[in-house]
Amino acid sequence: MGKRFDLREQVGVVIVGAGPAGLVLGNLLLERGIDCVILERRGREAVEGRARAGFLAAHSVRVLTEHGLGTGVRERGKPHSTCLFRSDQGEFTLDYGRLGRREVHTVHPQQELVRDLVAEYLRRGGELRFGARAEEILADGRVRVRGGEEVRGRYIAGCDGRHGAARAAQAARGVRTAHRDHRVSWLAVLVAAPPSLSAVGYALHRRGFAGHMARTDTVTRYYLQCPPGTDPADWSEERIWAELATRMRTGEFGPLRQGAVLEKTVVDLRSDVLESPGADRLWLAGDAAGLISPSAAKGANLAVLQAELLARALESALSHGDEKGLDQYAADCLPRVWRAHEFSHWMSGLLHGPAGDDAEARYGRALQYARLESLRTSRAHQDFFAENYTGI
Ligand code: APR
């Protein structure tokens, strides 16, 4: 697909993985005249059809727009600036677009973003090889692809997610990972129904958290906290809607718009950060460099941020022989990554109360409600929330 060149030759950057990180990076490199090839283990249909995140921060939209990748986001994305919280204490809405830095999100389903990015990458003449799984990344810039082929790059960008070859290569070098298992899982459900609320909805409940997030006019995302190890098959459509109704307190606040369940998966909330996102020839971005729990919708936005920083550093290295940007990449990324993790972790504590009724669980739940009450009543807290919720 796109331009074909002899893969025994060395290319500027071999990008492993065609998720948001790899595709933004590839587009930015082509824009700067850097030759690259993207290796993606799955087929085009699978890559373009995978529904995941959907909330783009203002910074991500700026990056996409500045680099000629923003048409789809502008034309089909919907600005979103409110979130509401429900609990047994009632309901309140935060108009975060008027708080903090007065920034909003743009709702643009990830599969649409990925489709836009693939199309533009190919239009720019980039080479993208679907069905090409990187088996091993070697220190000298070679990537072994399943089937025996080797691709050589001056640099390798590991954008192949948390189970990819880039992480394995970093681990083999002795790079350590900081990790947290939040011991919480979400049943993530995609339904064929319009959003039920005009805001992102977060419902705190003794039975567990429930969430509502708009995707398009006809598709909505819901989340139900469930015990780790839950089998999605145990959740029938009836059970899903009954549990959503209970936790979102529809008796008090009005019904949800129902539709067929299109997809249900269980997501374990985990976070980790590699202590170094690269060295020498191999540099990581997106989930490969660190995984963030979805509680504050930061994953795709961190991927865009890292792709932007890495593109700049790789351009300096390849066009001007200056590796200072690459040396600086970790220092540029990590503080922002950790800020996002800190907020995401705080948010996770707000949304998920402890189970049970022993003294520790009662203490934990009381803290959860104190947090919620502070957010409801303190303008300073609301500004801080908004700044972190939309910022990256
Ligand atoms: N070889 C080639 N491709 C691979 C390999 C491999 N060995 N392993 C994984 N891949 C591909 C996957 O098939 C996938 O398309 O790498 C891509 C990684 O994409 P993502 O998992 O979407 O990761 P990333 O681009 O870092 O985006 C991260 O986006 O979905 C949101 O919030 C989510 O945090 C996440 C963010």
Side-chain angles (χ1 to χ4, degrees):
M1 213 148 273
K3 190 180 80 176
R4 282 248 160 218
F5 39 77
D6 183 349
L7 289 165
R8 285 162 306 187
E9 284 175 15
Q10 176 169 284
V11 290
V13 183
V14 177
I15 299 172
V16 185
L23 288 166
V24 170
L25 178 64
N27 273 289
L28 268 51
L29 290 175
L30 292 179
E31 183 192 31
R32 292 162 155 93
I34 308 284
D35 63 322
C36 55
V37 53
I38 302 182
L39 306 175
E40 166 56 50
R41 75 179 161 93
R42 293 182 308 158
R44 182 167 180 174
E45 219 171 285
V47 168
E48 293 188 338
R50 194 164 59 138
R52 287 179 83 194
F55 271 67
L56 292 174
H59 177 267
S60 303
V61 175
R62 267 197 302 276
V63 170
L64 296 170
T65 306
E66 276 169 16
H67 298 282
L69 304 169
T71 312
V73 177
R74 268 197 317 277
E75 286 175 359
R76 284 169 282 124
K78 297 229 164 42
H80 202 104
S81 59
T82 51
C83 58
L84 71 78
F85 294 87
R86 279 183 189 168
S87 71
D88 57 3
Q89 312 283 308
E91 177 186 275
F92 67 92
T93 301
L94 285 187
D95 187 353
Y96 61 81
R98 292 174 187 272
L99 295 161
R101 291 204 195 89
R102 297 182 162 64
E103 289 190 330
V104 303
H105 286 112
T106 303
V107 181
H108 190 54
Q110 182 167 321
Q111 64 274 33
E112 293 201 25
L113 174 67
V114 163
R115 243 174 269 152
D116 298 345
L117 293 171
V118 168
E120 181 59 20
Y121 178 82
L122 296 175
R123 200 194 62 74
R124 292 180 183 187
E127 161 134 13
L128 207 173
R129 297 178 66 201
F130 291 104
R133 176 199 278 270
E135 299 275 21
E136 195 182 2
I137 298 172
L138 303 166
D140 61 4
R142 279 177 299 148
V143 180
R144 289 215 173 104
V145 182
R146 175 168 287 183
E149 198 170 9
E150 274 185 6
V151 187
R152 290 168 61 84
R154 174 70 191 88
Y155 295 102
I156 312 296
C159 303
D160 50 351
R162 62 184 298 233
H163 298 298
R167 271 197 174 207
Q170 286 294 81
R173 282 175 163 175
V175 173
R176 297 181 309 169
T177 302
H179 168 90
R180 156 91 33 127
D181 180 348
H182 299 275
R183 294 188 182 81
V184 167
S185 297
W186 285 358
L187 180 73
V189 187
L190 209 58
V191 304
S196 298
L197 308 167
S198 57
V200 175
Y202 298 107
L204 279 57
H205 198 282
R206 284 288 288 266
R207 296 175 64 84
F209 159 73
H212 160 283
M213 267 151 231
R215 282 294 181 263
T216 67
D217 292 340
T218 52
V219 174
T220 305
R221 185 52 105 195
Y222 288 94
Y223 296 109
L224 281 168
Q225 182 182 350
C226 58
T230 293
D231 180 355
D234 293 342
W235 284 81
S236 64
E237 292 208 8
E238 297 68 39
R239 184 175 174 203
I240 288 170
W241 288 114
E243 196 61 30
L244 282 170
T246 304
R247 297 191 196 178
M248 298 202 68
R249 300 170 199 277
T250 56
E252 203 175 330
F253 298 109
L256 302 174
R257 287 164 156 163
Q258 299 195 9
V261 170
L262 302 171
E263 201 186 285
K264 49 184 179 179
T265 48
V266 169
V267 184
D268 298 324
L269 271 59
R270 295 209 176 101
S271 303
D272 61 31
V273 179
L274 268 62
E275 65 184 4
S276 157
D280 305 325
R281 288 172 181 261
L282 174 61
W283 299 89
L284 278 57
D287 279 7
L291 185 74
I292 188 162
S293 81
S295 40
K298 297 285 184 200
N301 295 298
L302 285 179
V304 173
L305 169 80
Q306 291 172 324
E308 181 202 20
L309 295 172
L310 189 54
R312 224 182 289 156
L314 287 169
E315 184 201 7
S316 290
L318 284 161
S319 303
H320 313 293
D322 177 359
E323 290 198 329
K324 279 202 290 293
L326 284 173
D327 294 340
Q328 187 60 28
Y329 176 60
D332 287 344
C333 283
L334 285 174
R336 287 142 109 172
V337 167
W338 278 114
R339 273 286 296 271
H341 276 257
E342 194 283 319
F343 180 70
S344 200
H345 190 249
W346 175 87
M347 190 86 183
S348 183
L350 175 70
L351 302 180
H352 307 114
D357 202 33
D358 60 12
E360 204 164 315
R362 292 198 304 277
Y363 185 88
R365 242 184 332 269
L367 282 189
Q368 187 190 9
Y369 279 86
R371 226 170 234 182
L372 187 67
E373 187 58 8
S374 168
L375 189 58
R376 186 179 73 81
T377 54
S378 159
R379 173 62 197 252
H381 196 162
Q382 292 170 1
D383 280 326
F384 183 77
F385 172 86
E387 188 176 317
N388 284 278
Y389 191 54
T390 56
I392 199 84

